[in-house]
Each structure stands twice: as structure tokens, then as C-alpha cells.
Amino acid sequence: YLVLKKLEAILNRGRDWIIYRSLRLENHPNKIEGEIDVIIFTQTQGIILLEVKGSQLRVSDGSWSIYNRGKKIWENIQSPFEQMKDGAL
């Protein structure tokens, strides 16, 4: 929500970006189905992919985990950088 609100504010200042959110990837190379959270097309910066997380993140010795607020535990996840890389294929 906060990321999308910030992007909306940027667009309202006259940026000519094209922004898509929740772009579904039917032919993901490693998963049954994938998703790019936010993809931004710009004339000067090129294509920008954003992987958005809705909870606390932590990195310990290169391993990423996210806090599951419902279960109140930390769960290991794939690196957001790897997720974006996979989604870009």
C-alpha cells in the first residue's frame, strides 16, 4: 500500500512512467506461476522491477526471512533479488 501510494505521488508530479502491478507470469521458469509485484517503464531509467514485502524482513548470513505475523514466527524465504531475477526471465 505504501509503495503504491508513493508511486502515485511520483506520477502526480508529472512523471511519464507506465506502472503495472501484480503482473502475473504464467510461464515462470522455476515455479508453477510467478508474479512481478511492480514493473515500471521509464524513458530515462529503463525498466524497474520492485519486489514488495508486506512484513518485517531480516537477513542473516545471506539467508532471508520474513516475519509471519499470524504464526508469530520467522520463516525463510527466497531472496527478493533472486525473485526479481527469476521474474525477469
Side-chain angles (χ1 to χ4, degrees), residues 2 4 7 19 40 56 58 63 79 83 88:
L2 296 175
L4 295 176
L7 289 172
I19 300 173
I40 305 167
Q56 293 177 304
R58 71 178 180 190
S63 295
S79 158
Q83 284 181 280

Side-chain angles (χ1 to χ4, degrees), residues 41-83:
F41 296 93
T42 74
Q43 290 185 350
T44 56
Q45 287 91 12
I47 299 171
I48 302 167
L49 303 176
L50 300 178
E51 177 63 34
V52 180
K53 298 297 179 194
S55 187
Q56 293 177 304
L57 287 176
R58 71 178 180 190
V59 182
S60 179
D61 296 324
S63 295
W64 287 76
S65 55
I66 191 166
Y67 188 69
N68 183 320
R69 292 177 288 209
K71 295 179 182 178
K72 299 186 186 325
I73 60 170
W74 288 92
E75 296 178 338
N76 290 332
I77 61 167
Q78 181 183 24
S79 158
F81 300 107
E82 289 298 319
Q83 284 181 280

Side-chain angles (χ1 to χ4, degrees), residues 2-56:
L2 296 175
V3 171
L4 295 176
K5 281 300 198 187
K6 184 63 174 178
L7 289 172
E8 181 181 4
I10 290 170
L11 287 176
N12 287 338
R13 290 196 304 258
R15 296 281 178 129
D16 59 350
W17 294 356
I18 298 171
I19 300 173
Y20 293 106
R21 63 179 208 179
S22 299
L23 183 66
R24 185 174 165 205
L25 302 173
E26 292 183 13
N27 297 319
H28 195 282
N30 303 326
K31 300 176 184 173
I32 294 173
E33 182 177 289
E35 176 189 35
I36 298 174
D37 292 340
V38 179
I39 185 167
I40 305 167
F41 296 93
T42 74
Q43 290 185 350
T44 56
Q45 287 91 12
I47 299 171
I48 302 167
L49 303 176
L50 300 178
E51 177 63 34
V52 180
K53 298 297 179 194
S55 187
Q56 293 177 304

